[in-house]
Amino acid sequence: MSEASPLIVDVVVPLPLEATYSYRVPDEITGIRLGMRVLVPFGRRTLTAYVIGFTAHPPAELKEIIALLDSYPLFTAGELEFFRWAADYYLHPLGEVIRAALPAGINLTGKRQQSISIDGTTVTEEVLVGGRSISKERFYRPDDRQGDTARLRGKKLAVMEFLRSAGEASATLLRRETGIDAAGLRQLVQAGFITCEEREVYRDPFREEVRTRDEPLALTDAQGEAVRLLTAALERRLFAPFLLHGVTGSGKTEVYLQSIAHCLAQGRRALVLVPEIGLTPQLVRRFRCRFGDGIAVLHSGLSAGERFDEWRRIRRGEVEIVIGARSAIFAPLERIGMIIVDEEHEGSYKQGEGFRYNARDLALIRGRKDGACVVLGSATPQIATYHAAKSGKLGYLPLPGRVRNLPLPETVLVDCRGKRKDPLTPLLKEAMAANLAKGGQTLLFLNRRGYATYLVCEACGHVFRCPNCAVTLTHHRRKSRHYCHYCDYSIPAPSVCPGCGGGEIVHLGLGTERLEEEIRQLFPTARVIRMDRDTTSGKGGHARIIRQVEAGSIDILIGTQMVAKGHDFPGVTLVGVVSADAALNLPDFRSAERTFQLITQVIGRAGRGDQPGRVLVQTLAPEHYALTHALAHDYPGFYDAELAFRSELDYPPFAFLAAIELSATAARTVEETAHRIADELSRLKRAKAVRVTILGPAPAPLTMLRGRHRWQILLKSRQRSDLHRLLRSFREACVVPATVRLSIDIDPVDML
Ligand code: ADP
Ligand code: ZN
């Protein structure tokens, strides 16, 4: 800004407060601009606040800001408009929205600054200063005089093998690729196998992936048509939303890559959202191979400092493509020409607590503001998305067949009703044995981790439950403990029943850990690996398993839904679904949709290479339409059946939903509050004459979580504006006891 600093700034604070506050800028503070942070006196406290505007006519009495915290704006006026839209739509305070949109690391960086607050106490604030993106990293290479590696094994051997092909690698990369820890590396150095050198690096953990540049592929007809339509839309430089509906293995990624290339050639930038970036190393690698540097990757494995470094590269315009999970929708990328939402049906695009936004939905809003193409990609689009495409609200780009004319896998539904308890039917066992014999890879899917998910005493019937959550404990054999999968609670596995002091504890409810054990016994020569949250907890643990499967050094991959997610494993010729039933029986109107998506995605892992694939799905509900249509690769058939159900019960896409969730440690308090609030809603509904159905109050399906009792009220309306009107006036009027937590969830995804 060239003119003198304005006298009065309007700010919001990162607290659950709706209001905007004004402060005077003292003469000595200059250069203040929209999007910067300032330190302000606030009641008895000193707070960081965000400058969102300037006021020309100051009210009589104003406090002064204490300090200006930034030397450049953290957000633009255009981004502020986007934040405002989100705050308004999700009924969440703007200050908290802005805080959520900015990287957490922003407060970690720079100097701590002490200032005196108005009540005389000293407060310490983090102050952003530039130039701290350099950190030190250790690099390793094989020692020229290296000794005999024959006596090495395990991770150390893997390190040597990796270094032999890569020449040199950083500690970060070695840790990720081989799982070695600092002590292991030190021992290798001491034993003279490798040498170590410390160098300064610009932190970007994904950048150093080994890669070779590749060229655009010759497109299939369907891919070509999709790219042609996207290119034409890019040329118009107007908002244009699309559904890219491609069956598994149809080459959606190549469509993203080639249309993004066009977008970059226009001098515009691209934002790519993926459900969980830790689970999609293959996609990131393909982008790196095609576009090289100039890509920022934001993922949950980044430290706060790393995240901030990436954020700043983007803010400075050094980045052309941003790839990230949910929160990347707020990336400070300017001149966006294209936003991709890969696997748009994934529930993880929805933030489950605090500011409960949905990045998939916000992508459409941001795309509209920026005049960008928005591509929602999926083999199994949400019912609402396909509905929008059919009614012309989204452009429809179908990829109906697999690339290279590969067939979709042959599928078999295995009816397990009345069969013995054995988790694997003879049919599945025989198929596995045959596949193993001919050298094919098998993927076994079971969506429950741990050893046994239901532990009961045979003598007295005592069931092991979490004292904090309304769920049973899961036994983890390797750790010899029982865990709650919802909170931190765990206990050592007792040898006698705590209920009767004797008895035998029976392990029911098969989990992946136990399945792995059984598979190893059944196929002792097979190379087996398990992929679930327990085996991939370390940084890069996931990528390591994927690399092994890709390299063909695994025969049987066992896993939870992690294995279903978009991986491209050409060697997998058999997929076994141990049980398709768990997701079907959840008390949620989306349970059929989720099951259809999950099973379709798992099926899609088979037969992506030269050998055709086969899939066996075990179930107790062989007639369920979610399963029959998934096995028939029949999305439209499933859609028709599901739409009829949604229409009958007035669920999305026929109505819009909002949930009010209440929780408290005292069961009585939350129940009473829930009833009072439902009454209040009914009163407001009559007063405002809005067309909203109020369902509940009712206990949430998970009646207790982390020690808090939970109740819900569900609101449903065919008019989104009515829903918002009711909730806005409710928010102004509602008062709950301090011990009750109340949150409003617009377009809720997780209804448990
Ligand atoms: P999807 O995400 O649709 O399941 P992918 O994008 O993972 O599919 O593509 C599946 C495989 O097909 C990948 O190995 C990819 O490299 C390959 N592929 C994509 N497009 C083509 C093409 N036009 N010709 C040959 N192979 C292709
Ligand atoms: Zn618990």
Coordinates of all heavy atoms in Angstrom, one line a residue, residues 30-74:
T30 N 3.6 0.9 10.9 CA 3.3 1.3 9.5 C 3.3 0.0 8.7 O 3.8 -1.1 9.1 CB 4.3 2.2 8.9 OG1 5.6 1.6 9.1 CG2 4.3 3.6 9.6
G31 N 2.7 0.1 7.5 CA 2.7 -1.0 6.5 C 1.7 -2.1 6.8 O 1.8 -3.2 6.4
I32 N 0.7 -1.7 7.6 CA -0.3 -2.8 8.0 C -1.3 -3.0 6.8 O -1.7 -2.0 6.2 CB -1.0 -2.3 9.3 CG1 -1.8 -3.5 9.9 CG2 -2.0 -1.2 9.0 CD1 -2.2 -3.2 11.3
R33 N -1.5 -4.2 6.5 CA -2.4 -4.6 5.3 C -3.4 -5.7 5.7 O -3.2 -6.4 6.6 CB -1.5 -5.0 4.1 CG -0.7 -3.8 3.6 CD 0.4 -4.3 2.7 NE -0.1 -4.9 1.5 CZ 0.7 -5.5 0.6 NH1 2.0 -5.5 0.8 NH2 0.3 -6.1 -0.5
L34 N -4.4 -5.7 4.8 CA -5.3 -6.8 5.0 C -4.6 -8.2 4.9 O -3.7 -8.3 4.1 CB -6.4 -6.7 3.9 CG -7.6 -7.7 3.9 CD1 -8.8 -7.0 3.5 CD2 -7.3 -8.9 3.0
G35 N -5.0 -9.1 5.8 CA -4.4 -10.4 5.7 C -3.2 -10.6 6.6 O -2.6 -11.6 6.7
M36 N -2.8 -9.5 7.3 CA -1.7 -9.6 8.3 C -2.3 -9.9 9.7 O -3.4 -9.7 10.0 CB -0.9 -8.3 8.3 CG -0.1 -8.1 7.1 SD 0.8 -6.6 7.2 CE 1.8 -6.6 5.7
R37 N -1.4 -10.4 10.5 CA -1.8 -10.6 11.9 C -1.3 -9.5 12.8 O -0.2 -9.0 12.6 CB -1.2 -12.0 12.4 CG -1.8 -13.2 11.7 CD -1.1 -14.4 12.2 NE 0.3 -14.3 11.9 CZ 1.3 -14.9 12.6 NH1 0.9 -15.8 13.5 NH2 2.5 -14.7 12.3
V38 N -2.1 -9.2 13.8 CA -1.7 -8.2 14.8 C -1.9 -8.7 16.2 O -2.7 -9.6 16.4 CB -2.5 -6.8 14.6 CG1 -2.1 -6.1 13.3 CG2 -4.0 -7.1 14.6
L39 N -1.2 -8.1 17.1 CA -1.3 -8.5 18.5 C -2.2 -7.4 19.1 O -2.0 -6.2 19.0 CB 0.0 -8.4 19.2 CG 0.3 -9.3 20.4 CD1 0.0 -10.8 20.0 CD2 1.8 -9.2 20.8
V40 N -3.3 -7.8 19.8 CA -4.3 -6.8 20.3 C -4.6 -7.1 21.8 O -4.6 -8.3 22.2 CB -5.6 -6.8 19.5 CG1 -5.3 -6.4 18.0 CG2 -6.3 -8.2 19.5
P41 N -4.9 -6.1 22.5 CA -5.5 -6.3 23.9 C -6.9 -6.7 23.7 O -7.6 -6.2 22.9 CB -5.4 -4.9 24.5 CG -5.4 -4.0 23.4 CD -4.8 -4.6 22.2
F42 N -7.3 -7.8 24.4 CA -8.6 -8.3 24.3 C -9.1 -8.7 25.7 O -8.7 -9.7 26.2 CB -8.6 -9.5 23.4 CG -9.9 -9.9 22.9 CD1 -10.5 -9.3 21.7 CD2 -10.6 -10.9 23.5 CE1 -11.7 -9.7 21.3 CE2 -11.9 -11.3 23.0 CZ -12.4 -10.7 21.9
G43 N -10.0 -7.9 26.2 CA -10.4 -8.1 27.6 C -9.2 -8.0 28.5 O -8.4 -7.1 28.4
R44 N -8.9 -9.1 29.3 CA -7.8 -9.1 30.1 C -6.6 -9.8 29.4 O -5.5 -10.0 30.0 CB -8.1 -9.8 31.4 CG -9.2 -9.1 32.2 CD -9.5 -9.9 33.5 NE -8.4 -10.1 34.4 CZ -7.9 -9.2 35.2 NH1 -8.5 -8.0 35.3 NH2 -6.9 -9.5 36.0
R45 N -6.8 -10.2 28.2 CA -5.8 -11.0 27.5 C -5.1 -10.2 26.4 O -5.6 -9.2 26.0 CB -6.4 -12.3 26.9 CG -6.8 -13.2 28.0 CD -7.1 -14.6 27.4 NE -8.4 -14.7 26.8 CZ -8.8 -15.7 26.0 NH1 -7.9 -16.7 25.8 NH2 -10.0 -15.8 25.6
T46 N -4.1 -10.8 25.8 CA -3.5 -10.3 24.6 C -3.6 -11.4 23.5 O -3.3 -12.6 23.8 CB -2.0 -10.0 24.8 OG1 -1.9 -9.1 25.8 CG2 -1.4 -9.4 23.5
L47 N -4.2 -11.1 22.4 CA -4.5 -12.1 21.4 C -3.9 -11.8 20.0 O -3.7 -10.6 19.7 CB -6.0 -12.2 21.2 CG -6.8 -12.9 22.3 CD1 -8.3 -12.8 21.8 CD2 -6.4 -14.3 22.6
T48 N -3.6 -12.8 19.3 CA -3.3 -12.6 17.9 C -4.6 -12.5 17.1 O -5.6 -13.2 17.4 CB -2.6 -13.9 17.3 OG1 -1.4 -14.0 18.0 CG2 -2.3 -13.7 15.9
A49 N -4.7 -11.5 16.3 CA -5.9 -11.2 15.5 C -5.6 -11.1 14.0 O -4.5 -10.8 13.7 CB -6.7 -10.0 16.0
Y50 N -6.6 -11.3 13.2 CA -6.4 -11.2 11.7 C -7.0 -9.9 11.2 O -8.2 -9.7 11.5 CB -7.0 -12.4 11.0 CG -6.5 -13.7 11.6 CD1 -7.4 -14.5 12.3 CD2 -5.2 -14.2 11.4 CE1 -7.0 -15.7 12.9 CE2 -4.8 -15.4 11.9 CZ -5.7 -16.2 12.7 OH -5.3 -17.4 13.2
V51 N -6.3 -9.2 10.4 CA -6.8 -7.9 9.8 C -7.7 -8.3 8.6 O -7.2 -8.9 7.7 CB -5.7 -7.0 9.4 CG1 -6.3 -5.7 8.7 CG2 -4.8 -6.6 10.6
I52 N -9.0 -8.0 8.7 CA -9.9 -8.3 7.6 C -10.5 -7.0 7.0 O -11.3 -7.1 6.1 CB -11.0 -9.2 8.1 CG1 -11.9 -8.5 9.2 CG2 -10.5 -10.5 8.6 CD1 -13.2 -9.1 9.3
G53 N -10.1 -5.8 7.4 CA -10.6 -4.7 6.8 C -10.2 -3.4 7.5 O -9.5 -3.5 8.5
F54 N -10.6 -2.3 7.0 CA -10.3 -1.0 7.5 C -11.5 -0.1 7.7 O -12.4 -0.2 6.9 CB -9.3 -0.3 6.6 CG -8.1 -1.1 6.3 CD1 -8.0 -1.9 5.2 CD2 -7.0 -1.1 7.3 CE1 -6.8 -2.7 5.0 CE2 -5.9 -1.9 7.0 CZ -5.8 -2.7 5.9
T55 N -11.6 0.7 8.7 CA -12.7 1.5 8.9 C -12.3 3.0 8.8 O -11.3 3.4 9.4 CB -13.3 1.3 10.4 OG1 -13.6 -0.1 10.5 CG2 -14.5 2.1 10.6
A56 N -13.1 3.7 8.1 CA -12.8 5.1 7.9 C -13.3 6.0 9.1 O -12.6 6.9 9.5 CB -13.4 5.6 6.6
H57 N -14.4 5.6 9.6 CA -15.0 6.5 10.7 C -15.0 5.8 12.0 O -15.8 4.9 12.3 CB -16.5 6.9 10.4 CG -16.6 7.5 9.0 ND1 -16.1 8.8 8.7 CD2 -17.1 7.0 7.8 CE1 -16.3 9.0 7.5 NE2 -16.9 8.0 6.9
P58 N -14.0 6.1 12.8 CA -13.8 5.4 14.1 C -14.8 5.7 15.1 O -15.2 6.9 15.2 CB -12.4 5.8 14.5 CG -12.2 7.2 13.9 CD -12.9 7.1 12.6
P59 N -15.3 4.7 15.8 CA -16.1 5.1 17.0 C -15.2 5.8 18.0 O -14.0 5.8 17.9 CB -16.5 3.7 17.6 CG -15.8 2.7 16.8 CD -15.1 3.3 15.6
A60 N -15.8 6.4 19.0 CA -15.1 7.3 19.9 C -13.9 6.7 20.5 O -12.8 7.2 20.4 CB -16.1 7.9 20.9
E61 N -14.2 5.6 21.3 CA -13.1 5.1 22.1 C -12.6 3.7 21.5 O -13.4 2.8 21.4 CB -13.5 4.9 23.5 CG -12.9 5.9 24.4 CD -13.2 5.6 25.8 OE1 -12.8 4.6 26.4 OE2 -14.0 6.4 26.4
L62 N -11.3 3.7 21.3 CA -10.8 2.4 20.7 C -9.4 2.1 21.4 O -8.6 3.0 21.7 CB -10.5 2.6 19.2 CG -11.7 2.3 18.3 CD1 -11.1 2.4 16.9 CD2 -12.3 1.0 18.6
K63 N -9.2 0.8 21.6 CA -7.9 0.4 22.0 C -6.9 0.4 20.8 O -7.4 0.3 19.7 CB -8.0 -1.0 22.7 CG -8.7 -0.9 24.0 CD -8.9 -2.3 24.5 CE -9.7 -2.3 25.8 NZ -10.4 -3.6 26.0
E64 N -5.6 0.4 21.2 CA -4.6 0.3 20.1 C -4.1 -1.1 19.9 O -4.0 -1.9 20.9 CB -3.5 1.3 20.4 CG -3.8 2.7 20.3 CD -2.6 3.6 20.4 OE1 -1.5 3.1 20.8 OE2 -2.7 4.8 19.9
I65 N -3.7 -1.4 18.7 CA -3.0 -2.7 18.5 C -1.7 -2.6 19.1 O -1.1 -1.5 19.3 CB -2.9 -3.1 17.0 CG1 -2.0 -2.2 16.2 CG2 -4.3 -3.2 16.4 CD1 -1.7 -2.7 14.9
I66 N -1.1 -3.7 19.6 CA 0.1 -3.7 20.3 C 1.3 -3.9 19.3 O 2.3 -3.2 19.4 CB 0.2 -4.9 21.3 CG1 -0.9 -4.6 22.4 CG2 1.5 -5.0 22.0 CD1 -1.2 -5.8 23.3
A67 N 1.1 -4.8 18.3 CA 2.2 -5.0 17.4 C 1.6 -5.6 16.1 O 0.6 -6.2 16.1 CB 3.2 -6.0 18.0
L68 N 2.4 -5.4 15.0 CA 2.1 -6.0 13.8 C 3.0 -7.2 13.7 O 4.2 -7.1 13.9 CB 2.4 -5.0 12.6 CG 2.3 -5.4 11.2 CD1 0.9 -5.9 10.9 CD2 2.7 -4.3 10.2
L69 N 2.4 -8.3 13.4 CA 3.2 -9.6 13.4 C 3.8 -10.0 12.1 O 4.6 -10.9 12.1 CB 2.3 -10.7 14.0 CG 1.8 -10.5 15.4 CD1 0.9 -11.6 15.9 CD2 2.9 -10.3 16.4
D70 N 3.2 -9.5 11.0 CA 3.7 -10.0 9.7 C 4.3 -9.0 8.9 O 3.9 -7.8 9.0 CB 2.5 -10.7 9.0 CG 2.0 -11.9 9.7 OD1 2.8 -12.7 10.2 OD2 0.7 -12.0 9.9
S71 N 5.2 -9.4 8.0 CA 5.8 -8.4 7.0 C 5.1 -8.5 5.7 O 5.4 -7.8 4.8 CB 7.3 -8.6 6.9 OG 7.5 -10.0 6.7
Y72 N 4.3 -9.6 5.5 CA 3.5 -9.7 4.3 C 2.2 -10.3 4.6 O 2.0 -11.0 5.6 CB 4.3 -10.5 3.2 CG 4.6 -11.9 3.7 CD1 3.7 -13.0 3.4 CD2 5.7 -12.2 4.3 CE1 3.9 -14.3 3.8 CE2 6.0 -13.5 4.8 CZ 5.1 -14.5 4.5 OH 5.4 -15.8 4.9
P73 N 1.1 -10.1 3.8 CA -0.2 -10.6 4.1 C -0.2 -12.1 4.0 O 0.4 -12.7 3.1 CB -1.1 -10.0 3.1 CG -0.4 -8.8 2.5 CD 1.1 -9.2 2.6
L74 N -0.9 -12.7 4.9 CA -1.1 -14.2 4.9 C -2.2 -14.6 4.0 O -2.2 -15.8 3.6 CB -1.3 -14.7 6.3 CG -0.2 -14.4 7.4 CD1 -0.6 -15.0 8.7 CD2 1.1 -14.8 6.9

